Amino acid sequence: MGSPVLLTDVAQQFAGRGPARLALDGVTLSIDAGEFVCVVGPSGCGKSTLLDLVAGHTRPVRGSVVVDGAKVTGPGLDRVMVFQEHALFPWLSVRDNVGFGLKNAGVADAEREATVTEWLSKVGLSDAADLHPHQLSGGMRQRAALARAFAMRPQVLLMDEPFSALDAPSRDRLHVELQDLWQETGTTIIFVTHNVREAVALGSRVVVLSSGPGHIIGEVAVGLQRPRVVESDRVVALAREVRGLLDAADQLGITAPRGGSEDGHVSI
C-alpha cells in the first residue's frame, strides 16, 4: 500500500540571471495513501517542480513536504520517478535495466532475479528480457521503465508526462496497463500531464494548477469505472469540466495557455 503525501503552503523559486523566479507559491495538497492523483496545468506552472519536491530532489523555500508522516529532506527508496524519456541504460539488457535499482539497493541476487522476472511478466516483456533498449519500440521501452519503477516497491510513484512521446495506440494501451498495475499494487501515484483527457482517464482526482507561479485553482473528483480510455464520452465530459477551471482562471487574469499538447500547452 502506498503512503500519504502532504504539501503545506509550499513555495519554490529558482535563481537565474535576473531576480529569483517563483515556480510554485502557496500549494497545499493532501493525497491519501494509494490514491492516483493527476496534476494538470499550462507550461511553466510548476508541475515538474512539485514532483521534484516530493521526490526530495529539491527543498521548498517555504512550507513543508511530508510523506508517510515524515518530512522530506532528500531522495529515498520509498519514492521513485518515471520520466517522459524512459532513462534506460542503453548498454544494459532489459533484464538488467529493470533490476538496476534493486541491485543498487543491495537486494540479494536470487530475490532480485525473481522480482525482475515477475515484473517483466506483468508488463509483457518476458520475451524481450535479453534485448537492449534500442531493439525495443517506444511503448516497450516505457513498459521497461514502469517495470523498473514498480520492482522497487515504492510507496509513492512520481510520473512526469511518461506517455507524451508515444503514439496514440501505445499510449492508450499503457493507460489501461498502468491502471491495472496501480490497482494491483495500491501504490500512491502522482502523475503530471498536459493532456486533460489523459488526466481524467487515469486519475482518481485531477488537480489543476494556474500558470506560474503555480497554485491550485481547483480539483475534479473522477468517479468513473475503470479501466478508462480517453475516447470515452464520460471522460471527455469530465475533461471539459477540468478545462472549464482553466478557462475560469483565464477570465480572472490567471493566464492558462491553450493549444495542443504538442506545443507544450494544456490540451483536451
Side-chain angles (χ1 to χ4, degrees):
M1 190 67 175
S3 295
V5 177
L6 176 63
L7 292 84
T8 304
D9 192 30
V10 165
Q12 180 63 303
Q13 67 183 18
F14 298 104
R17 293 184 178 179
R21 177 181 63 85
L22 276 174
L24 293 171
D25 190 16
V27 172
T28 294
L29 176 63
S30 178
I31 298 173
D32 292 336
E35 191 175 7
F36 194 143
V37 170
C38 289
V39 180
V40 300
S43 296
C45 73
K47 299 186 297 296
S48 296
T49 299
L50 187 152
L51 293 185
D52 284 340
L53 289 167
V54 178
H57 297 156
T58 60
R59 299 179 68 175
V61 296
R62 188 184 75 240
S64 65
V65 181
V66 173
V67 174
D68 201 21
K71 189 173 182 179
V72 172
T73 58
L77 295 178
D78 60 328
R79 286 154 284 137
V80 172
M81 290 275 287
V82 176
F83 300 95
Q84 177 176 345
E85 295 296 329
H86 51 77
L88 300 175
F89 299 111
W91 59 88
L92 294 180
S93 68
V94 171
R95 185 192 311 280
D96 289 341
N97 265 290
V98 173
F100 183 83
L102 296 170
K103 185 175 183 178
N104 277 0
V107 176
D109 290 351
E111 180 183 351
R112 184 173 73 249
E113 285 301 316
T115 301
V116 169
T117 298
E118 174 189 3
W119 278 100
L120 286 174
S121 176
K122 288 180 185 293
V123 300
L125 290 179
S126 296
D127 293 340
D130 296 319
L131 299 180
H132 285 71
H134 74 275
Q135 297 174 290
L136 306 179
S137 68
M140 293 171 73
R141 288 193 288 267
Q142 206 56 284
R143 281 189 177 86
L146 284 176
R148 180 175 59 185
F150 275 107
M152 295 295 294
R153 299 184 177 90
Q155 296 299 300
V156 182
L157 185 58
L158 305 163
M159 310 189 74
D160 194 357
E161 301 190 65
F163 306 145
S164 61
L166 300 178
D167 60 82
S170 296
R171 185 170 61 244
D172 292 347
R173 286 193 296 271
L174 279 166
H175 285 164
V176 174
E177 291 170 16
L178 177 59
Q179 291 174 74
D180 290 342
L181 294 174
W182 167 70
Q183 290 181 308
E184 179 181 342
T185 62
T187 306
T188 303
I189 296 180
I190 307 177
F191 187 107
V192 157
T193 178
H194 281 102
N195 190 301
V196 175
R197 289 193 193 180
E198 179 175 64
V200 172
L202 293 176
S204 307
R205 178 164 46 119
V206 179
V207 174
V208 184
L209 296 182
S210 71
S211 58
H215 60 275
I216 295 172
I217 57 176
E219 298 182 2
V220 173
V222 184
L224 304 179
Q225 185 176 353
R226 295 182 186 272
R228 309 176 193 140
V229 294
V230 294
E231 294 87 359
S232 160
D233 290 342
R234 292 185 177 183
V235 166
V236 172
L238 271 179
R240 291 196 184 100
E241 183 177 337
V242 175
R243 179 70 255 182
L245 291 173
L246 291 162
D247 288 342
D250 282 346
Q251 294 171 12
L252 291 173
I254 308 170
T255 304
R258 304 182 187 184
S261 57
E262 67 276 3
D263 63 7
H265 295 166
V266 173
S267 65
I268 191 169

Short mmCIF file of all heavy atoms in Angstrom, two decimals, residues 174-233:
data_model
loop_
_atom_site.label_atom_id
_atom_site.label_comp_id
_atom_site.label_asym_id
_atom_site.label_seq_id
_atom_site.Cartn_x
_atom_site.Cartn_y
_atom_site.Cartn_z
N LEU A 174 -0.97 1.64 -22.65
CA LEU A 174 -0.28 1.86 -21.38
C LEU A 174 -1.18 2.52 -20.35
O LEU A 174 -1.02 2.30 -19.15
CB LEU A 174 0.98 2.70 -21.62
CG LEU A 174 2.17 1.88 -22.13
CD1 LEU A 174 3.26 2.78 -22.67
CD2 LEU A 174 2.71 1.00 -21.02
N HIS A 175 -2.14 3.33 -20.80
CA HIS A 175 -3.13 3.87 -19.87
C HIS A 175 -3.84 2.74 -19.12
O HIS A 175 -3.98 2.76 -17.90
CB HIS A 175 -4.17 4.71 -20.61
CG HIS A 175 -3.67 6.05 -21.03
ND1 HIS A 175 -4.31 6.82 -21.98
CD2 HIS A 175 -2.57 6.77 -20.65
CE1 HIS A 175 -3.66 7.95 -22.15
NE2 HIS A 175 -2.61 7.94 -21.35
N VAL A 176 -4.31 1.75 -19.87
CA VAL A 176 -5.04 0.63 -19.27
C VAL A 176 -4.11 -0.20 -18.39
O VAL A 176 -4.45 -0.57 -17.26
CB VAL A 176 -5.68 -0.25 -20.36
CG1 VAL A 176 -6.31 -1.50 -19.75
CG2 VAL A 176 -6.74 0.55 -21.13
N GLU A 177 -2.90 -0.46 -18.87
CA GLU A 177 -1.97 -1.29 -18.10
C GLU A 177 -1.53 -0.61 -16.82
O GLU A 177 -1.40 -1.26 -15.77
CB GLU A 177 -0.76 -1.64 -18.97
CG GLU A 177 -1.12 -2.58 -20.11
CD GLU A 177 0.00 -2.76 -21.12
OE1 GLU A 177 1.16 -2.40 -20.79
OE2 GLU A 177 -0.28 -3.24 -22.24
N LEU A 178 -1.32 0.71 -16.86
CA LEU A 178 -0.94 1.43 -15.65
C LEU A 178 -2.06 1.38 -14.62
O LEU A 178 -1.80 1.21 -13.41
CB LEU A 178 -0.57 2.87 -15.98
CG LEU A 178 -0.22 3.76 -14.78
CD1 LEU A 178 0.96 3.19 -14.00
CD2 LEU A 178 0.07 5.19 -15.23
N GLN A 179 -3.31 1.53 -15.06
CA GLN A 179 -4.42 1.43 -14.13
C GLN A 179 -4.46 0.06 -13.46
O GLN A 179 -4.70 -0.06 -12.25
CB GLN A 179 -5.74 1.71 -14.86
CG GLN A 179 -5.90 3.16 -15.31
CD GLN A 179 -7.14 3.35 -16.15
OE1 GLN A 179 -8.26 3.36 -15.62
NE2 GLN A 179 -6.97 3.52 -17.45
N ASP A 180 -4.20 -0.98 -14.24
CA ASP A 180 -4.18 -2.34 -13.67
C ASP A 180 -3.07 -2.49 -12.64
O ASP A 180 -3.28 -3.06 -11.55
CB ASP A 180 -3.99 -3.38 -14.79
CG ASP A 180 -5.21 -3.51 -15.69
OD1 ASP A 180 -6.31 -3.08 -15.28
OD2 ASP A 180 -5.06 -4.04 -16.81
N LEU A 181 -1.88 -1.99 -12.95
CA LEU A 181 -0.75 -2.10 -12.03
C LEU A 181 -1.01 -1.31 -10.75
O LEU A 181 -0.68 -1.75 -9.64
CB LEU A 181 0.53 -1.61 -12.70
CG LEU A 181 1.04 -2.44 -13.87
CD1 LEU A 181 2.24 -1.75 -14.52
CD2 LEU A 181 1.41 -3.85 -13.43
N TRP A 182 -1.60 -0.14 -10.90
CA TRP A 182 -1.92 0.68 -9.73
C TRP A 182 -2.93 -0.03 -8.83
O TRP A 182 -2.76 -0.09 -7.60
CB TRP A 182 -2.47 2.03 -10.18
CG TRP A 182 -3.11 2.81 -9.07
CD1 TRP A 182 -2.49 3.41 -8.00
CD2 TRP A 182 -4.51 3.06 -8.90
NE1 TRP A 182 -3.42 4.00 -7.18
CE2 TRP A 182 -4.65 3.81 -7.72
CE3 TRP A 182 -5.64 2.73 -9.65
CZ2 TRP A 182 -5.90 4.23 -7.26
CZ3 TRP A 182 -6.87 3.15 -9.20
CH2 TRP A 182 -7.01 3.89 -8.02
N GLN A 183 -3.98 -0.60 -9.42
CA GLN A 183 -4.97 -1.29 -8.62
C GLN A 183 -4.39 -2.52 -7.94
O GLN A 183 -4.76 -2.86 -6.81
CB GLN A 183 -6.17 -1.67 -9.49
CG GLN A 183 -7.00 -0.45 -9.92
CD GLN A 183 -8.20 -0.84 -10.77
OE1 GLN A 183 -8.08 -1.54 -11.76
NE2 GLN A 183 -9.37 -0.35 -10.39
N GLU A 184 -3.47 -3.18 -8.61
CA GLU A 184 -2.85 -4.38 -8.04
C GLU A 184 -1.92 -4.04 -6.88
O GLU A 184 -1.89 -4.76 -5.87
CB GLU A 184 -2.07 -5.11 -9.12
CG GLU A 184 -1.36 -6.37 -8.63
CD GLU A 184 -0.57 -7.05 -9.74
OE1 GLU A 184 -0.83 -6.78 -10.92
OE2 GLU A 184 0.31 -7.86 -9.40
N THR A 185 -1.16 -2.95 -7.01
CA THR A 185 -0.14 -2.64 -6.01
C THR A 185 -0.60 -1.69 -4.91
O THR A 185 -0.04 -1.71 -3.81
CB THR A 185 1.09 -2.02 -6.68
OG1 THR A 185 0.72 -0.79 -7.32
CG2 THR A 185 1.68 -2.97 -7.73
N GLY A 186 -1.58 -0.85 -5.19
CA GLY A 186 -2.01 0.13 -4.21
C GLY A 186 -1.02 1.26 -4.00
O GLY A 186 -1.06 1.96 -2.98
N THR A 187 -0.11 1.44 -4.95
CA THR A 187 0.91 2.50 -4.85
C THR A 187 0.26 3.88 -4.98
O THR A 187 -0.65 4.07 -5.78
CB THR A 187 1.94 2.33 -5.98
OG1 THR A 187 2.48 1.01 -5.93
CG2 THR A 187 3.07 3.34 -5.84
N THR A 188 0.71 4.82 -4.17
CA THR A 188 0.30 6.21 -4.36
C THR A 188 0.97 6.74 -5.63
O THR A 188 2.19 6.63 -5.78
CB THR A 188 0.72 7.08 -3.16
OG1 THR A 188 0.17 6.53 -1.97
CG2 THR A 188 0.25 8.52 -3.33
N ILE A 189 0.18 7.30 -6.56
CA ILE A 189 0.74 7.82 -7.80
C ILE A 189 0.39 9.30 -7.95
O ILE A 189 -0.77 9.70 -7.79
CB ILE A 189 0.22 7.03 -9.03
CG1 ILE A 189 0.69 5.57 -8.97
CG2 ILE A 189 0.69 7.69 -10.32
CD1 ILE A 189 0.23 4.72 -10.13
N ILE A 190 1.42 10.10 -8.26
CA ILE A 190 1.22 11.49 -8.66
C ILE A 190 1.69 11.59 -10.10
O ILE A 190 2.87 11.37 -10.40
CB ILE A 190 1.99 12.47 -7.76
CG1 ILE A 190 1.66 12.22 -6.29
CG2 ILE A 190 1.65 13.92 -8.14
CD1 ILE A 190 2.46 13.10 -5.33
N PHE A 191 0.78 11.90 -11.00
CA PHE A 191 1.01 11.83 -12.44
C PHE A 191 0.82 13.22 -13.04
O PHE A 191 -0.27 13.79 -12.96
CB PHE A 191 0.03 10.82 -13.05
CG PHE A 191 0.23 10.50 -14.50
CD1 PHE A 191 0.75 9.27 -14.88
CD2 PHE A 191 -0.12 11.39 -15.50
CE1 PHE A 191 0.92 8.92 -16.21
CE2 PHE A 191 0.04 11.07 -16.84
CZ PHE A 191 0.57 9.83 -17.20
N VAL A 192 1.87 13.75 -13.63
CA VAL A 192 1.83 15.08 -14.25
C VAL A 192 1.61 14.92 -15.75
O VAL A 192 2.23 14.08 -16.39
CB VAL A 192 3.14 15.83 -13.97
CG1 VAL A 192 3.38 16.92 -15.01
CG2 VAL A 192 3.13 16.42 -12.57
N THR A 193 0.71 15.75 -16.30
CA THR A 193 0.44 15.70 -17.74
C THR A 193 -0.09 17.05 -18.22
O THR A 193 -0.65 17.83 -17.44
CB THR A 193 -0.58 14.59 -18.07
OG1 THR A 193 -0.85 14.60 -19.48
CG2 THR A 193 -1.89 14.77 -17.33
N HIS A 194 0.13 17.33 -19.51
CA HIS A 194 -0.52 18.47 -20.15
C HIS A 194 -1.89 18.09 -20.71
O HIS A 194 -2.68 18.96 -21.06
CB HIS A 194 0.33 18.98 -21.33
CG HIS A 194 1.49 19.83 -20.93
ND1 HIS A 194 2.77 19.36 -20.89
CD2 HIS A 194 1.56 21.12 -20.54
CE1 HIS A 194 3.59 20.33 -20.51
NE2 HIS A 194 2.88 21.41 -20.30
N ASN A 195 -2.14 16.81 -20.82
CA ASN A 195 -3.33 16.33 -21.52
C ASN A 195 -4.47 16.09 -20.55
O ASN A 195 -4.42 15.19 -19.70
CB ASN A 195 -2.97 15.03 -22.27
CG ASN A 195 -4.06 14.60 -23.22
OD1 ASN A 195 -5.18 14.37 -22.82
ND2 ASN A 195 -3.72 14.50 -24.50
N VAL A 196 -5.53 16.88 -20.66
CA VAL A 196 -6.63 16.82 -19.71
C VAL A 196 -7.37 15.49 -19.79
O VAL A 196 -7.75 14.92 -18.77
CB VAL A 196 -7.59 18.01 -19.93
CG1 VAL A 196 -8.80 17.90 -19.03
CG2 VAL A 196 -6.87 19.32 -19.67
N ARG A 197 -7.58 14.98 -21.02
CA ARG A 197 -8.27 13.69 -21.14
C ARG A 197 -7.46 12.57 -20.49
O ARG A 197 -8.02 11.68 -19.84
CB ARG A 197 -8.53 13.36 -22.60
CG ARG A 197 -9.59 14.21 -23.26
CD ARG A 197 -9.99 13.62 -24.59
NE ARG A 197 -10.77 14.56 -25.39
CZ ARG A 197 -11.24 14.29 -26.59
NH1 ARG A 197 -10.98 13.12 -27.15
NH2 ARG A 197 -11.94 15.18 -27.26
N GLU A 198 -6.15 12.60 -20.67
CA GLU A 198 -5.30 11.60 -20.04
C GLU A 198 -5.43 11.67 -18.53
O GLU A 198 -5.53 10.64 -17.85
CB GLU A 198 -3.84 11.82 -20.44
CG GLU A 198 -2.87 10.84 -19.81
CD GLU A 198 -1.46 11.01 -20.33
OE1 GLU A 198 -0.87 12.10 -20.09
OE2 GLU A 198 -0.94 10.07 -20.97
N ALA A 199 -5.46 12.88 -17.98
CA ALA A 199 -5.60 13.05 -16.53
C ALA A 199 -6.90 12.45 -16.02
O ALA A 199 -6.94 11.76 -15.00
CB ALA A 199 -5.53 14.54 -16.18
N VAL A 200 -7.99 12.69 -16.75
CA VAL A 200 -9.29 12.17 -16.33
C VAL A 200 -9.34 10.65 -16.49
O VAL A 200 -9.91 9.93 -15.67
CB VAL A 200 -10.42 12.85 -17.12
CG1 VAL A 200 -11.77 12.18 -16.83
CG2 VAL A 200 -10.50 14.33 -16.77
N ALA A 201 -8.73 10.14 -17.57
CA ALA A 201 -8.74 8.70 -17.79
C ALA A 201 -7.98 7.95 -16.71
O ALA A 201 -8.34 6.82 -16.36
CB ALA A 201 -8.12 8.38 -19.16
N LEU A 202 -6.96 8.57 -16.15
CA LEU A 202 -6.10 7.86 -15.20
C LEU A 202 -6.41 8.17 -13.73
O LEU A 202 -6.35 7.29 -12.88
CB LEU A 202 -4.63 8.21 -15.48
CG LEU A 202 -4.05 7.72 -16.79
CD1 LEU A 202 -2.62 8.22 -16.97
CD2 LEU A 202 -4.08 6.20 -16.86
N GLY A 203 -6.69 9.41 -13.42
CA GLY A 203 -6.71 9.83 -12.03
C GLY A 203 -7.99 9.54 -11.28
O GLY A 203 -9.08 9.51 -11.85
N SER A 204 -7.85 9.33 -9.98
CA SER A 204 -9.00 9.34 -9.08
C SER A 204 -9.44 10.77 -8.83
O SER A 204 -10.58 11.04 -8.48
CB SER A 204 -8.64 8.69 -7.74
OG SER A 204 -8.09 7.41 -7.92
N ARG A 205 -8.48 11.67 -9.00
CA ARG A 205 -8.72 13.10 -8.80
C ARG A 205 -7.76 13.87 -9.70
O ARG A 205 -6.62 13.46 -9.91
CB ARG A 205 -8.46 13.45 -7.33
CG ARG A 205 -8.61 14.89 -6.95
CD ARG A 205 -8.73 15.07 -5.43
NE ARG A 205 -7.77 14.34 -4.67
CZ ARG A 205 -6.87 14.90 -3.84
NH1 ARG A 205 -6.82 16.21 -3.72
NH2 ARG A 205 -6.03 14.15 -3.14
N VAL A 206 -8.24 14.98 -10.26
CA VAL A 206 -7.42 15.84 -11.10
C VAL A 206 -7.25 17.17 -10.39
O VAL A 206 -8.22 17.85 -10.05
CB VAL A 206 -8.05 16.06 -12.49
CG1 VAL A 206 -7.16 16.98 -13.33
CG2 VAL A 206 -8.26 14.73 -13.21
N VAL A 207 -5.98 17.53 -10.16
CA VAL A 207 -5.63 18.80 -9.52
C VAL A 207 -5.17 19.76 -10.60
O VAL A 207 -4.32 19.41 -11.43
CB VAL A 207 -4.52 18.60 -8.47
CG1 VAL A 207 -4.06 19.93 -7.91
CG2 VAL A 207 -5.01 17.68 -7.36
N VAL A 208 -5.73 20.97 -10.61
CA VAL A 208 -5.45 21.94 -11.66
C VAL A 208 -4.62 23.08 -11.10
O VAL A 208 -5.00 23.72 -10.10
CB VAL A 208 -6.76 22.50 -12.25
CG1 VAL A 208 -6.46 23.44 -13.42
CG2 VAL A 208 -7.67 21.36 -12.71
N LEU A 209 -3.47 23.34 -11.73
CA LEU A 209 -2.60 24.44 -11.34
C LEU A 209 -2.77 25.62 -12.29
O LEU A 209 -3.00 25.44 -13.49
CB LEU A 209 -1.13 24.01 -11.34
CG LEU A 209 -0.69 22.93 -10.35
CD1 LEU A 209 0.81 22.70 -10.47
CD2 LEU A 209 -1.06 23.31 -8.92
N SER A 210 -2.61 26.81 -11.75
CA SER A 210 -2.56 28.02 -12.57
C SER A 210 -1.21 28.11 -13.25
O SER A 210 -0.29 27.35 -12.96
CB SER A 210 -2.76 29.25 -11.68
OG SER A 210 -1.61 29.44 -10.87
N SER A 211 -1.07 29.08 -14.17
CA SER A 211 0.24 29.35 -14.74
C SER A 211 1.15 29.92 -13.65
O SER A 211 0.68 30.39 -12.61
CB SER A 211 0.13 30.31 -15.93
OG SER A 211 -0.48 31.51 -15.52
N GLY A 212 2.47 29.86 -13.90
CA GLY A 212 3.44 30.18 -12.87
C GLY A 212 3.35 31.61 -12.36
O GLY A 212 3.05 32.52 -13.11
N PRO A 213 3.63 31.79 -11.06
CA PRO A 213 3.91 30.74 -10.10
C PRO A 213 2.67 29.89 -9.82
O PRO A 213 1.59 30.42 -9.55
CB PRO A 213 4.37 31.49 -8.84
CG PRO A 213 3.73 32.84 -8.96
CD PRO A 213 3.69 33.14 -10.42
N GLY A 214 2.83 28.59 -9.92
CA GLY A 214 1.68 27.70 -9.84
C GLY A 214 1.06 27.65 -8.46
O GLY A 214 1.74 27.62 -7.44
N HIS A 215 -0.26 27.67 -8.46
CA HIS A 215 -1.02 27.37 -7.25
C HIS A 215 -2.30 26.67 -7.66
O HIS A 215 -2.71 26.74 -8.82
CB HIS A 215 -1.31 28.63 -6.42
CG HIS A 215 -2.10 29.67 -7.15
ND1 HIS A 215 -1.52 30.60 -7.97
CD2 HIS A 215 -3.43 29.92 -7.18
CE1 HIS A 215 -2.46 31.39 -8.47
NE2 HIS A 215 -3.63 30.99 -8.01
N ILE A 216 -2.92 25.97 -6.76
CA ILE A 216 -4.08 25.15 -7.10
C ILE A 216 -5.30 26.04 -7.29
O ILE A 216 -5.66 26.82 -6.41
CB ILE A 216 -4.34 24.10 -6.00
CG1 ILE A 216 -3.16 23.13 -5.94
CG2 ILE A 216 -5.63 23.33 -6.27
CD1 ILE A 216 -3.22 22.15 -4.77
N ILE A 217 -5.94 25.91 -8.47
CA ILE A 217 -7.14 26.70 -8.74
C ILE A 217 -8.39 25.83 -8.71
O ILE A 217 -9.50 26.35 -8.85
CB ILE A 217 -7.03 27.42 -10.10
CG1 ILE A 217 -6.78 26.44 -11.24
CG2 ILE A 217 -5.95 28.48 -10.05
CD1 ILE A 217 -6.77 27.09 -12.62
N GLY A 218 -8.24 24.54 -8.52
CA GLY A 218 -9.42 23.67 -8.42
C GLY A 218 -9.05 22.21 -8.51
O GLY A 218 -7.92 21.86 -8.85
N GLU A 219 -10.01 21.37 -8.19
CA GLU A 219 -9.85 19.92 -8.29
C GLU A 219 -11.15 19.33 -8.83
O GLU A 219 -12.23 19.87 -8.63
CB GLU A 219 -9.57 19.29 -6.92
CG GLU A 219 -8.30 19.77 -6.25
CD GLU A 219 -8.07 19.08 -4.93
OE1 GLU A 219 -8.88 18.20 -4.55
OE2 GLU A 219 -7.07 19.40 -4.24
N VAL A 220 -11.01 18.20 -9.52
CA VAL A 220 -12.18 17.47 -10.02
C VAL A 220 -12.03 16.01 -9.61
O VAL A 220 -11.03 15.37 -9.94
CB VAL A 220 -12.31 17.58 -11.56
CG1 VAL A 220 -13.42 16.68 -12.06
CG2 VAL A 220 -12.56 19.03 -11.97
N ALA A 221 -13.00 15.51 -8.85
CA ALA A 221 -13.01 14.10 -8.48
C ALA A 221 -13.52 13.29 -9.67
O ALA A 221 -14.47 13.69 -10.35
CB ALA A 221 -13.90 13.88 -7.26
N VAL A 222 -12.87 12.13 -9.92
CA VAL A 222 -13.25 11.28 -11.05
C VAL A 222 -13.76 9.96 -10.50
O VAL A 222 -12.99 9.14 -10.01
CB VAL A 222 -12.05 11.03 -11.99
CG1 VAL A 222 -12.51 10.23 -13.21
CG2 VAL A 222 -11.41 12.34 -12.42
N GLY A 223 -15.06 9.77 -10.58
CA GLY A 223 -15.65 8.55 -10.04
C GLY A 223 -16.06 7.54 -11.09
O GLY A 223 -16.95 6.72 -10.85
N LEU A 224 -15.41 7.57 -12.24
CA LEU A 224 -15.79 6.69 -13.34
C LEU A 224 -15.22 5.30 -13.14
O LEU A 224 -14.14 5.12 -12.58
CB LEU A 224 -15.29 7.26 -14.67
CG LEU A 224 -15.74 8.69 -15.00
CD1 LEU A 224 -15.14 9.12 -16.33
CD2 LEU A 224 -17.25 8.79 -15.04
N GLN A 225 -15.95 4.31 -13.64
CA GLN A 225 -15.50 2.93 -13.55
C GLN A 225 -14.22 2.71 -14.36
O GLN A 225 -14.03 3.32 -15.41
CB GLN A 225 -16.60 1.98 -14.05
CG GLN A 225 -16.30 0.51 -13.88
CD GLN A 225 -17.47 -0.37 -14.31
OE1 GLN A 225 -18.56 0.13 -14.61
NE2 GLN A 225 -17.26 -1.67 -14.32
N ARG A 226 -13.34 1.85 -13.85
CA ARG A 226 -12.11 1.51 -14.56
C ARG A 226 -12.24 0.13 -15.19
O ARG A 226 -13.05 -0.67 -14.74
CB ARG A 226 -10.93 1.52 -13.58
CG ARG A 226 -10.62 2.89 -12.99
CD ARG A 226 -9.42 2.80 -12.08
NE ARG A 226 -9.17 4.05 -11.39
CZ ARG A 226 -8.42 5.05 -11.86
NH1 ARG A 226 -7.85 4.92 -13.05
NH2 ARG A 226 -8.23 6.15 -11.16
N PRO A 227 -11.40 -0.12 -16.22
CA PRO A 227 -10.42 0.79 -16.83
C PRO A 227 -11.09 1.83 -17.71
O PRO A 227 -12.17 1.60 -18.25
CB PRO A 227 -9.54 -0.15 -17.65
CG PRO A 227 -10.44 -1.28 -18.01
CD PRO A 227 -11.35 -1.46 -16.83
N ARG A 228 -10.46 2.99 -17.84
CA ARG A 228 -10.99 4.09 -18.64
C ARG A 228 -10.11 4.32 -19.86
O ARG A 228 -8.92 4.01 -19.84
CB ARG A 228 -11.02 5.38 -17.82
CG ARG A 228 -11.69 5.24 -16.46
CD ARG A 228 -11.57 6.55 -15.70
NE ARG A 228 -11.93 6.40 -14.30
CZ ARG A 228 -11.27 7.00 -13.30
NH1 ARG A 228 -10.24 7.77 -13.57
NH2 ARG A 228 -11.65 6.81 -12.07
N VAL A 229 -10.71 4.89 -20.89
CA VAL A 229 -9.96 5.26 -22.09
C VAL A 229 -10.28 6.71 -22.43
O VAL A 229 -11.36 7.21 -22.10
CB VAL A 229 -10.29 4.34 -23.28
CG1 VAL A 229 -9.82 2.93 -23.00
CG2 VAL A 229 -11.78 4.35 -23.59
N VAL A 230 -9.36 7.37 -23.10
CA VAL A 230 -9.51 8.80 -23.35
C VAL A 230 -10.66 9.12 -24.29
O VAL A 230 -11.19 10.23 -24.28
CB VAL A 230 -8.20 9.40 -23.91
CG1 VAL A 230 -7.09 9.36 -22.88
CG2 VAL A 230 -7.77 8.71 -25.19
N GLU A 231 -11.09 8.13 -25.10
CA GLU A 231 -12.19 8.39 -26.04
C GLU A 231 -13.57 8.25 -25.42
O GLU A 231 -14.57 8.58 -26.05
CB GLU A 231 -12.10 7.41 -27.23
CG GLU A 231 -10.88 7.60 -28.11
CD GLU A 231 -9.68 6.83 -27.59
OE1 GLU A 231 -9.81 6.16 -26.54
OE2 GLU A 231 -8.62 6.89 -28.23
N SER A 232 -13.64 7.77 -24.18
CA SER A 232 -14.93 7.58 -23.51
C SER A 232 -15.69 8.90 -23.42
O SER A 232 -15.13 9.95 -23.11
CB SER A 232 -14.71 7.02 -22.10
OG SER A 232 -15.82 7.23 -21.28
N ASP A 233 -17.02 8.84 -23.68
CA ASP A 233 -17.85 10.04 -23.60
C ASP A 233 -17.78 10.68 -22.22
O ASP A 233 -17.75 11.90 -22.08
CB ASP A 233 -19.30 9.71 -23.95
CG ASP A 233 -19.49 9.38 -25.42
OD1 ASP A 233 -18.59 9.73 -26.23
OD2 ASP A 233 -20.52 8.77 -25.77
#
